[in-house]
Amino acid sequence: MNKELNVPKPVYPWTTLQSPFAGMLNAEETIWYDQDYQFLSKDAMAKYKKMRLIDVGPFMIPATTEKARILHATRFAIYMTVTDDYVELLPVKEIAAFRDRIFEVMMGDTPRPEEKGILRQMQTNRKEWIALGMPDFWLERMAKNYKYRFVNDGIMEESPYKISKDIPPIPLFHLIRANSIGMIPFVDLICPTTGFALPDYIYKHTVMQRIIMLQSIIVALQNDFATIGKELAIESEIFNIITLLQHHHKISFDEACTEGMRIHDEFVDEFVTLSNHLPDFSPYQKETEEFIFYIKQMISGLNDWYYKSGTKRYLPDGFAVPPNGKGETMDRIDIKHV
């Protein structure tokens, strides 16, 4: 490989709004870490405080002008990321036990004093969602999506590959990554943000489910391009479209980037086509269209977060190493995003 590799940035065919809350929630973030994330090592805690995860919410949900309707999303973004980082290399049985306890708390159980503080963050999130008008059927939808789609079908399916270093086929990779990236439950956050819980008959419609899945696949691919520098330096990080394309097709890094972006853009085209041809969801057509608008902002807003927020998460030694991980085991290759 060359000393410097060029990696393309995704581009999206819609305007991305700018949130007034970006860079304004630092005080809340510090309190949350200091109170409820003491189970992390001092080194991991210091790294998380430099990641700017608090700005994921403002970047991904830029349309809201009420602080309460953005704080719930920033809280979620932090504990979802920490969950993924913390358990990704644990034995599957340990992940399953944590998954089940998370579900109980998200469904209303009270964390015990001796349990990890991250569960208190989840409990607080539930209270925020109730205060923002979310009904029981939505709370159950969120809890199930977090348990089954994010942890069970995502992290727990991805973890054995990371431990064994086996290479998944690309169609399976897309499905696992769409779940492990956490965007399926993150899309649910649109509802408390707008104050409208999308009814089940709309949420579960085939077209809506495909749109949500496409959003997750697109964001996962977007993440692969943004984080490739870190992942090339970590031996266990094989879940990246660029490295998988190189392996399966025996092509160069540059060719894999080109092919990966072509795949990404095809998914974006499908997403736009379906978004422009929604079924008749009367009497909630306007609310459904707003839901799709928020999904678009999530996609392009997160893309902006990678390059504009100042996050240190993907810089050398900026990632919090999981308990069973080794961190960066190979020399960094300079990456230029173009």
Side-chain angles (χ1 to χ4, degrees):
M1 290 186 179
N2 298 323
K3 291 184 178 180
E4 182 178 82
L5 297 172
N6 290 330
V7 177
K9 294 180 184 179
V11 177
Y12 300 100
W14 56 79
T15 300
T16 306
L17 303 179
Q18 304 298 311
S19 172
F21 297 107
M24 302 299 292
L25 303 175
N26 299 343
E28 285 84 354
E29 181 183 42
T30 298
I31 291 171
W32 298 345
Y33 279 132
D34 290 347
Q35 287 184 347
D36 289 331
Y37 289 90
Q38 294 300 319
F39 65 93
L40 298 172
S41 68
K42 289 183 178 180
D43 178 68
M45 177 83 77
K47 288 178 177 176
Y48 276 113
K49 288 183 177 181
K50 295 178 181 179
M51 289 184 191
R52 306 296 313 154
L53 293 174
I54 194 70
D55 277 335
V56 170
F59 271 82
M60 292 186 71
I61 308 179
T64 184
T65 57
E66 298 178 42
K67 189 175 182 179
R69 295 192 185 276
I70 197 67
L71 274 181
H72 76 96
T74 64
R75 186 188 307 277
F76 183 92
I78 292 173
Y79 73 66
M80 184 185 76
T81 304
V82 173
T83 297
D84 186 16
D85 292 349
Y86 190 77
V87 307
E88 67 174 355
L89 295 179
L90 293 178
V92 169
K93 286 185 178 180
E94 291 185 32
I95 302 176
F98 191 44
R99 171 205 64 196
D100 294 345
R101 185 60 184 138
I102 288 170
F103 181 75
E104 292 171 349
V105 171
M106 294 187 85
M107 287 297 292
D109 199 20
T110 299
R112 298 183 294 274
E114 72 275 12
E115 290 186 300
K116 290 180 175 61
I118 194 171
L119 294 172
R120 292 193 294 272
Q121 286 289 304
M122 295 170 181
Q123 179 190 44
T124 300
N125 227 179
R126 175 184 166 87
K127 292 177 180 178
E128 289 172 326
W129 295 328
I130 292 172
L132 291 171
M134 290 300 97
D136 287 345
F137 79 83
W138 181 92
L139 294 167
E140 183 176 356
R141 177 194 298 166
M142 167 60 85
K144 286 182 175 178
N145 277 343
Y146 200 94
K147 175 180 180 179
Y148 293 108
R149 300 302 296 275
F150 175 45
V151 183
N152 198 83
D153 300 352
I155 296 172
M156 290 176 64
E157 292 294 326
E158 187 175 293
S159 181
Y161 282 102
K162 290 190 172 186
I163 293 172
S164 68
K165 301 173 189 174
D166 288 340
I167 308 295
I170 288 177
L172 180 59
F173 159 79
H174 285 312
L175 294 178
I176 295 175
R177 279 283 284 155
N179 287 311
S180 70
I181 198 70
M183 287 300 107
I184 289 176
F186 205 97
V187 164
D188 291 330
L189 299 180
I190 294 171
C191 296
T193 300
T194 63
F196 178 77
L198 209 63
D200 276 346
Y201 81 90
I202 299 177
Y203 178 81
K204 293 181 179 179
H205 190 281
T206 305
V207 173
M208 292 298 292
Q209 283 297 297
R210 180 59 180 169
I211 286 173
I212 291 169
M213 174 59 77
L214 286 168
Q215 184 261 9
S216 299
I217 293 173
I218 291 164
V219 167
L221 294 173
Q222 173 193 102
N223 176 270
D224 287 351
F225 285 97
T227 66
I228 185 64
K230 169 185 78 75
E231 294 179 357
L232 288 175
I234 298 178
E235 191 176 359
S236 63
E237 288 286 1
I238 60 163
F239 263 65
N240 187 292
I241 189 62
I242 300 172
T243 53
L244 260 65
L245 286 169
Q246 282 188 276
H247 172 84
H248 286 299
H249 298 323
K250 310 304 179 187
I251 55 179
S252 70
F253 184 89
D254 289 343
E255 290 170 328
C257 284
T258 300
E259 175 62 9
M261 192 57 71
R262 185 195 65 77
I263 293 170
H264 168 275
D265 291 346
E266 279 193 355
F267 283 124
V268 173
D269 287 344
E270 183 185 351
F271 171 86
V272 171
T273 298
L274 292 178
S275 298
N276 291 338
H277 295 83
L278 293 176
D280 182 4
F281 289 126
S282 299
Y284 300 117
Q285 195 70 18
K286 181 180 177 181
E287 289 85 353
T288 304
E289 290 174 359
E290 184 180 37
F291 190 86
I292 299 299
F293 168 79
Y294 270 80
I295 291 179
K296 290 180 178 179
Q297 294 297 307
M298 283 184 167
I299 293 172
S300 54
L302 182 57
N303 193 55
D304 281 351
W305 179 81
Y306 288 122
Y307 305 108
K308 298 179 180 180
S309 70
T311 180
K312 308 295 185 184
R313 180 172 172 81
Y314 307 109
L315 297 179
D317 297 320
F319 179 72
V321 180
N324 288 6
K326 299 178 182 178
E328 297 188 10
T329 56
M330 293 171 280
D331 292 337
R332 275 269 183 157
I333 297 172
D334 290 335
I335 299 294
K336 182 180 180 182
H337 291 280
V338 295

